[in-house]
């Protein structure tokens, strides 16, 4: 551990920031619970209050606490969590303290065996599972009710007593990571293992997917460039490209599953058994007993939640979709109207008028997206999901559907109702280029700039950091600096952006072959801006031991099904195919539909045939399973004898 | 145990029949291996030679052996297998000998705790996993190679030294079961728990599915009767029925998954961990080491198998499908030709000529089915699958596709190419009625009759049994009697029949509403004939601890997708819908296709929304998982302290 804490005897890992007006008795109680032995129901962690900064400022929050733990405690925590580590024989096994010397990187007393991200995850887990015993409320706060088994940290969070809990950055390692990641001009791949080491598996999988997706697009971009340059429009461009699209998007997603399984296996998350998931902080209900654990916890009837989902949220989403469709129709009407004015009287001012509908539409869509996002969050919160994962899935689904609709409805309308391929190409190009520039700007540079501007103190501190550039920044300053950084809200928006890009390419790239090229360029800059924002703009996030990209895999697969249908329709509408059926449109449609069904069937068979987990990893997983069964049998037979 | 064995001290459970010319040294070696202690690598079972019958016949095979085990041995075997049993608190848990008194039905020394089917399954498992040690071949048979770890029984079977291994019937219980199952005239459900108790979970799930499917058809049959009786043809019959079909077949299959999960949970197979699957007896390859177990076993490269599957089997199946299509086209030509002759010259002889094509077609189809079945078995054997399950899946798939094609191609042709609904109705009725009568006859009564006729000795024995009716049949006679009975080949043909019936109903019942009624009638008689054949015609099969209906669930789901497409097409072709689009056929087709896509999407969402396992069983499974994790944690923490 590079970090050293002046007044203390342990390496600080996680910061707890309590509200500055927190009552003394609550603080004392919390600290004693954190420090207490595990036998007494405590977390057995080390915790110290953060001292004042060098130049003591006005209004600094005194209630910042640094949490750490002894190496032994961290290793036991890792065992509790069932973390998988590489053994000396190259296989991945659940770490146990008793068998610690079988593990590859375990040396001495285990220093450096767990990455800092893993240690922080262990501490987070220990704090999260610190449960109330006989307390009926947080001392000094009669409204912050507790009951036996309730997670203390979650109650403090939901009552606003605990402002935030975040892991500390490790400056040395961050400097090394950011150098190999985005500062170095290079043609190599991203340092995924280092990213995983520093940020955890969830983040690394996102960057892995981004990289994979970019490479997957290269063949398409390579075909697209000559198509565009030599203007091969008169050839069977549509058909070749559409068929390529079809196969591409199926195969790509299947192969990603395999790659993701490989990565997750070597990162040890593929076969880690998930611990029983606790209710999310915001979940409320009547106090009862969990049927699985038997612990006291709030119970909220599933039927009530279903009613809320199906009778309120679903109609609301449908209404929003309808509204969005309605606004789109108005936009097309306005555009037609502007065009007719321009045609009648083509002056400079009427030419400018041509752009007005698009601008208004773009602004309205942005505003709707924003409002909808808040509404979706509110509704999903109100649906009162017990699990964080279920909350996330419902939120993702809501936002996804609306965004998909907003981005693609107008393109579908142009393609299939107006059947204007020229306009489609133009819209697609505009959308891709503007979204690329805007996103990159909004996502990384704006927050960075805002953060720098936010207050003078901040700037001064950053300048101070500059002064200390080569030396170590004092820990106290570093903690306060990081506490003020924005919180990284997860990979949601990053995946959403990729999802929309995937949509543009898989749905319509046969009409605009340069789409793949633009997306490749976008992804390359995206890697840099995302890396920059992770390293410089945001607080370090807690590691998330994900085994796959979760609900996004499903979303991408749904998109690939829509892509098959869309591409078949585009093929059916292409002049080349139409010319084969000069006499009968009915026959053309029937043939297209038949081909589409065959392709969809083929796609499902392909999905089925390509195994999700590569054979050598399947073997390793089976071996693990086999060994545990054998061990059980041996244990059983020795106990009977 | 009701069975008593005159000369021995144990209840015989399983019979091993060796070839009558088996060398003495091989027999002695096998018996010693079966009787040897487990520590020495034996099976620790009891085994005795069967004595000669009462009236000693010529040519009786002397090499029949009865295998049994002590109660303690059986209980340990059940623990090895990880059998799940009900605890005193109502939950299902893996049986362990140490915690035997926590289980509900465990009394005294455990007599009656395991059903006879379970005991027989334990013995089968112990015999199957009896492995060679240092032997390089079966004594006396230099060509029957062995290597350390090879299953002895499988080698004996594959070399023809072991003719068969089968479990014994239990006459008392069989009498009781058959009375409550099919002899009693009743309106009650089938005694599924008793069936499971006697035949095991695989059989019981089949009968459960048959029953479920029959009940699921009742609403459809109820709607079908008035439609047929009052000739509501002119109303929107098609549409209502087709829409009903659509929803019905999706919901039915989803609900079956839930029911199947419930049954499997209470039968203890849902959460039983499958032991590592051994290679099937016929599997061959170069001797190597299994990457999972590390044991010596034949290795056959997967790539070679893939080549065989994709380059030989797949083209062969496609060729057969093409051939079947070709023959169908000839049939329709012949029929047109016969019709034209009849129209020209309508006499008695030309009227008879009308039936000739159908008869020829039916015979050719039957012959093709038979030949194809053999070819499929040969090819699947040749593909050299390592696992029995993989062999079964490939065989089922091959046979399924061909049967589907044979049964439905002509109906699809009539419906969509000829568009002759009258003929479709007629063909469907003919198919359903003849297949019902033929199947029932071929399946149960013909084998029964054949068996009775097979040889005089048999009849005499059955008459002898009649004489003994009230008394116990001597065990020696019973064993020889059962050894001569036909072997039950599994539920394959029964499921195939149900699958085709499901196809008739889900695809075309909107054209012929009585189909559901006929299928319900068929299923009711099917229950009786299947029950009869299980109890009277066949040897008792070994129990098969299945947790679901396996590949058939997939097959039925595929059929339900095809049903959605077919029903949409039928709706699109119905005069009622056509009349909405008088001017444009294109629009009609586009609307139909759009509706179909929406319905397919809806179907998938529905499949996704209806959870496969009911909530209360999910909770119980989660509780089990949670407990085992907690136990592990406790074990770990005590071992560290």
């Amino acid at each position: 551990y590079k970090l050293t804490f002046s007044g203390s005897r342990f390496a600080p890992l996680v910061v707890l920031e309590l509200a500055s007006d927190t009552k003394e008795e609550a603080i004392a109680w919390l600290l004693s619970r954190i420090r207490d032995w595990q036998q007494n129901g405590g977390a057995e962690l080390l915790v110290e209050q953060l001292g004042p900064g060098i130049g003591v400022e006005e209004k600094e929050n005194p209630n910042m606490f640094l949490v750490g733990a002894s190496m032994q405690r961290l290793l036991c925590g890792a065992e509790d969590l069932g973390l998988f580590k590489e053994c000396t024989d190259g296989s991945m096994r659940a770490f146990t303290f008793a068998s610690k010397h079988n593990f590859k990187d375990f040396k001495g007393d285990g220093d450096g065996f767990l990455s800092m991200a893993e240690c922080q995850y262990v501490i987070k887990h220990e704090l999260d599972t610190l449960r109330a015993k006989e307390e009926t409320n947080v001392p000094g706060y009669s409204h912050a009710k507790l009951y036996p088994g309730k997670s203390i940290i979650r109650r403090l969070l939901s009552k606003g007593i605990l402002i935030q809990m975040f892991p500390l950055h490790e400056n040395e390692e961050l400097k090394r990571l950011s150098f190999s990641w985005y500062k170095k001009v290079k043609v190599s791949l991203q340092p995924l293992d280092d990213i995983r080491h520093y940020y955890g598996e969830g983040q690394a999988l996102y960057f892995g997917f981004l990289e994979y997706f970019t490479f997957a697009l290269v063949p398409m971009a390579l075909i697209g460039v000559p198509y565009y340059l030599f203007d091969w429009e008169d050839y069977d461009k549509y058909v070749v490209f559409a068929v390529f699209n079809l196969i591409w998007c199926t195969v790509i997603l299947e192969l990603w599953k395999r790659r993701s399984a490989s990565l997750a296996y070597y990162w040890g998350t593929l076969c880690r058994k998930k611990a029983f998931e606790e209710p999310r902080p915001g979940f409320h209900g009547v106090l009862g007993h969990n049927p699985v654990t038997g612990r006291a916890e709030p119970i909220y009837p599933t039927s009530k939640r279903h009613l809320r989902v199906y009778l309120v949220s679903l109609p609301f989403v449908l209404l929003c979709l309808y509204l969005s469709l309605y606004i789109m129709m108005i936009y097309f009407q306005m555009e037609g109207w502007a065009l007719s004015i321009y045609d009648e009287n083509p002056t400079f001012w009427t030419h400018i008028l041509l752009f007005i509908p698009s601008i208004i539409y773009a602004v309205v869509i942005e505003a709707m997206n924003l409002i909808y996002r808040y509404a979706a969050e509110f509704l999903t919160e109100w649906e009162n999901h017990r699990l964080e994962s279920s909350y996330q899935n419902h939120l993702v689904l809501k936002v996804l559907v609306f965004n998909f609709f907003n981005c693609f409805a107008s393109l579908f309308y142009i393609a299939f109702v107006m059947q204007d391929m020229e306009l489609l190409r133009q819209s697609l190009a505009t959308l891709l280029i503007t979204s690329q520039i805007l996103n990159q700007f909004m996502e990384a540079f704006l927050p960075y700039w805002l953060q720098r501007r936010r207050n003078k103190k901040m700037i001064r501190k950053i300048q101070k950091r500059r002064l200390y550039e080569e030396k170590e920044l004092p820990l106290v300053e570093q903690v306060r600096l990081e506490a003020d950084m924005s919180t990284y809200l997860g990979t949601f928006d990053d995946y959403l952006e990729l999802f929309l890009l995937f949509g543009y390419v898989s749905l319509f790239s046969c009409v605009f072959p340069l789409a793949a090229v633009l997306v490749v360029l976008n992804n390359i800059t995206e890697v840099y801006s995302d890396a920059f924002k992770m390293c410089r703009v945001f607080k370090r996030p807690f590691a998330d031991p994900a085994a796959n990209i979760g609900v996004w895999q499903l979303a991408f697969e749904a998109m690939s099904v829509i892509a098959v249908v869309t591409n078949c329709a585009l093929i059916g509408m292409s002049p080349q195919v139409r010319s084969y059926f000069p006499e009968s449109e009915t026959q053309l449609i029937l043939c297209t539909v038949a081909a589409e069904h065959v392709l969809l069937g083929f796609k499902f068979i392909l999905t089925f045939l390509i195994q999700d987990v590569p054979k050598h990893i399947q073997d390793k997983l089976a071996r693990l399973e086999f060994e545990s069964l054998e061990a059980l049998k041996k244990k059983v037979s020795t106990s009977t004898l």
Side-chain angles (χ1 to χ4, degrees), chain A:
Chain A
Y1 291 93
K2 295 286 183 310
L3 286 173
T4 44
F5 180 34
S6 45
S8 171
R9 302 142 304 277
F10 67 92
L13 293 164
V14 171
V15 177
L16 288 177
E17 180 175 6
L18 297 178
S20 57
D21 58 350
T22 310
K23 300 199 176 125
E24 282 302 324
E25 51 199 298
I27 296 178
W29 167 77
L30 178 64
L31 295 188
S32 79
R33 288 304 312 273
I34 293 178
R35 287 180 182 137
D36 205 357
W37 298 103
Q38 277 188 289
Q39 288 98 311
N40 304 340
E44 215 173 314
L45 301 175
L46 307 170
V47 58
E48 291 286 341
Q49 189 155 18
L50 186 74
I54 295 173
V56 186
E57 310 278 332
E58 73 298 355
K59 286 191 295 168
E60 259 188 353
N61 183 355
N63 293 328
M64 306 266 273
F65 296 90
L66 297 173
V67 186
S70 67
M71 186 45 63
Q72 160 107 8
R73 180 74 192 85
L74 288 173
L75 290 173
C76 289
E79 176 170 343
D80 274 7
L81 277 170
L83 288 191
F84 271 63
K85 286 285 190 178
E86 194 177 353
C87 285
T88 39
D89 65 346
S91 63
M92 304 294 302
R93 268 155 228 274
F95 175 74
T96 62
F97 195 77
S99 65
K100 59 192 174 199
H101 292 295
N102 296 342
F103 289 85
K104 200 178 154 200
D105 298 318
F106 199 93
K107 282 173 197 92
D109 59 349
D111 219 21
F113 177 66
L114 298 174
S115 71
M116 189 169 170
E118 280 167 336
C119 293
Q120 288 165 336
Y121 185 70
V122 167
I123 296 223
K124 173 174 190 285
H125 176 256
E126 296 298 336
L127 287 176
D128 273 346
T129 54
L130 183 62
R131 294 172 192 293
K133 293 188 294 188
E134 283 83 39
E135 302 94 334
T136 53
N137 56 278
V138 177
Y141 295 85
S142 58
H143 66 285
K145 290 269 180 295
L146 288 174
Y147 46 84
K150 173 70 189 175
S151 160
I152 290 171
I153 293 292
R154 278 161 187 253
R155 173 57 80 227
L156 293 177
L157 263 178
S158 67
K159 288 296 170 192
I161 303 167
L162 179 63
I163 297 173
Q164 59 177 349
M165 169 165 90
F166 64 92
L168 279 173
H169 268 298
E170 198 180 357
N171 283 330
E172 275 299 309
E173 209 179 317
L174 184 62
K175 221 177 277 171
R176 237 177 301 132
L177 175 66
S178 59
F179 180 74
S180 68
W181 198 1
Y182 66 90
K183 279 191 182 156
K184 195 170 56 174
V185 177
K186 40 122 206 203
V187 271
S188 62
L189 300 176
Q190 293 176 89
L192 284 187
D193 283 326
D194 296 341
I195 299 170
R196 178 239 161 186
H197 196 257
Y198 195 83
Y199 287 109
E201 292 77 17
Q203 282 301 322
L205 273 176
Y206 164 70
F207 283 103
F209 184 66
L210 177 58
E211 182 178 294
Y212 174 84
F213 180 46
T214 311
F215 277 101
L217 277 171
V218 167
M220 207 174 238
L222 287 183
I223 306 179
V225 172
Y227 259 117
Y228 188 79
L229 288 184
F230 304 115
D231 208 26
W232 289 350
E233 309 234 339
D234 308 323
Y235 296 88
D236 39 7
K237 178 172 117 179
Y238 270 48
V239 179
V240 171
F241 232 90
V243 169
F244 183 80
N245 257 359
L246 279 179
I247 298 169
W248 176 79
C249 59
T250 306
V251 172
I252 279 314
L253 289 176
E254 283 305 306
L255 293 184
W256 165 252
K257 270 195 229 160
R258 291 168 69 91
R259 172 147 172 80
S260 148
S262 287
L263 288 176
Y265 176 76
Y266 290 111
W267 292 344
T269 51
L270 190 62
C271 32
R272 193 170 91 82
K273 284 220 175 59
K274 267 204 173 165
F276 184 77
E277 215 177 335
E278 296 291 321
R280 32 192 304 272
F283 177 68
H284 55 85
V286 182
L287 199 65
H289 287 274
N290 183 297
V292 176
T293 60
R295 285 183 200 139
E297 71 167 48
I299 299 288
Y300 186 79
T302 319
S303 56
K304 255 189 183 167
R305 184 176 313 123
H306 280 311
L307 283 183
R308 289 184 174 190
V309 171
Y310 294 115
L311 294 187
V312 180
S313 297
L314 186 65
F316 173 78
V317 172
L318 292 178
L319 193 77
C320 286
L321 294 183
Y322 177 75
L323 198 71
S324 149
L325 207 64
Y326 194 78
I327 289 174
M328 188 191 79
M329 298 310 292
I330 293 178
Y331 158 65
F332 280 113
Q333 270 181 3
M334 271 167 60
E335 193 147 87
W337 171 72
L339 204 65
S340 68
I341 290 185
Y342 176 73
D343 281 346
E344 272 174 32
N345 180 19
T347 68
F348 174 73
W349 292 110
T350 51
H351 190 238
I352 283 197
L353 190 68
L354 275 183
F355 292 96
I356 302 280
S358 297
I359 293 169
I360 295 178
Y361 184 58
V363 170
V364 170
I365 284 283
E366 254 335 288
M368 273 180 72
N369 258 339
L370 216 67
I371 297 168
Y372 180 83
R373 184 70 171 265
Y374 279 108
E377 271 169 22
F378 174 80
L379 273 178
T380 317
E381 186 69 51
W382 177 71
E383 281 161 20
N384 198 13
H385 292 277
R386 189 178 162 277
L387 301 180
E388 186 61 34
S389 58
S390 148
Y391 171 86
Q392 284 297 339
N393 288 350
H394 277 256
L395 183 62
V396 166
L397 191 67
K398 284 195 191 72
V399 176
L400 206 68
V401 167
F402 191 70
N403 270 279
F404 175 81
F405 219 73
N406 268 341
C407 284
F408 294 104
S410 63
L411 294 178
F412 276 110
Y413 186 82
I414 297 172
F416 298 115
V417 181
M418 296 167 69
Q419 306 206 351
D420 183 344
M421 292 304 144
E422 198 47 54
L423 183 59
L424 180 61
R425 192 167 312 160
Q426 211 177 298
S427 312
L428 201 59
T430 318
L431 263 172
L432 269 174
I433 294 168
T434 51
S435 81
Q436 179 176 353
I437 295 169
L438 269 181
N439 259 324
Q440 234 75 161
F441 178 74
M442 297 276 286
E443 228 176 65
F445 300 102
L446 189 66
Y448 182 65
W449 181 76
L450 278 180
Q451 184 194 312
R452 289 192 59 161
R453 297 246 346 169
R454 203 157 39 209
N455 55 39
K456 307 254 170 168
K457 192 176 92 192
M458 202 63 169
I459 292 184
R460 240 185 298 141
K461 275 189 184 161
I462 288 176
Q463 283 169 340
K464 213 180 272 170
R465 184 194 246 178
R466 287 256 166 77
L467 288 174
Y468 283 103
E469 197 80 69
E470 292 315 296
K471 304 171 238 165
E472 283 286 287
L473 191 69
L475 181 68
V476 181
E477 293 305 303
Q478 190 202 331
V479 170
R480 294 200 186 272
L481 200 70
E482 287 183 23
D484 279 343
M485 288 168 105
S486 321
T487 303
Y488 179 65
L489 292 171
T491 46
F492 184 99
D493 288 290
D494 298 324
Y495 275 118
L496 185 62
E497 202 188 325
L498 280 190
F499 175 74
L500 296 178
L501 290 177
F502 179 73
Y504 290 131
V505 176
S506 61
L507 296 178
F508 295 113
S509 71
C510 62
V511 179
F512 180 53
L514 268 195
V517 181
L518 288 178
V519 173
V520 167
L521 288 179
N522 177 75
N523 282 0
I524 293 172
T525 54
E526 180 86 23
V527 167
Y528 287 93
S529 70
D530 281 354
F532 176 75
K533 114 188 149 183
M534 289 301 302
C535 295
R536 285 305 205 87
V537 178
F538 290 116
K539 275 199 240 336
R540 183 176 190 168
F542 276 110
D544 154 32
N548 49 54
I549 61 173
V551 68
W552 291 102
Q553 180 77 37
L554 214 68
F556 277 82
E557 272 165 24
M559 181 66 98
S560 84
V561 172
I562 298 174
V564 171
V565 179
T566 311
N567 278 296
C568 281
L570 287 174
I571 293 175
M573 280 163 50
S574 72
Q576 294 87 22
V577 172
R578 265 173 202 271
S579 65
Y580 284 110
F581 300 92
E583 74 292 342
S584 156
E585 199 174 23
T586 308
Q587 219 175 349
L588 165 69
I589 297 175
L590 285 180
C591 283
T592 310
V593 170
E596 186 226 336
H597 280 75
V598 170
L599 283 169
L600 277 179
F602 180 68
K603 187 183 152 62
F604 280 106
I605 293 173
L606 207 64
T607 311
F608 200 77
L609 284 184
I610 301 180
Q611 287 182 312
D612 290 357
V613 179
K615 185 79 179 64
H616 66 282
I617 294 197
Q618 273 180 25
D619 278 350
K620 282 177 177 157
L621 295 181
R623 177 156 191 93
L624 212 65
E625 181 84 356
F626 175 74
E627 276 173 7
S628 83
L629 278 178
E630 289 291 298
L632 198 73
K633 215 179 273 176
K634 201 165 284 170
K635 200 204 78 186
V636 157
S637 62
T638 51
S639 73
T640 8
L641 284 176

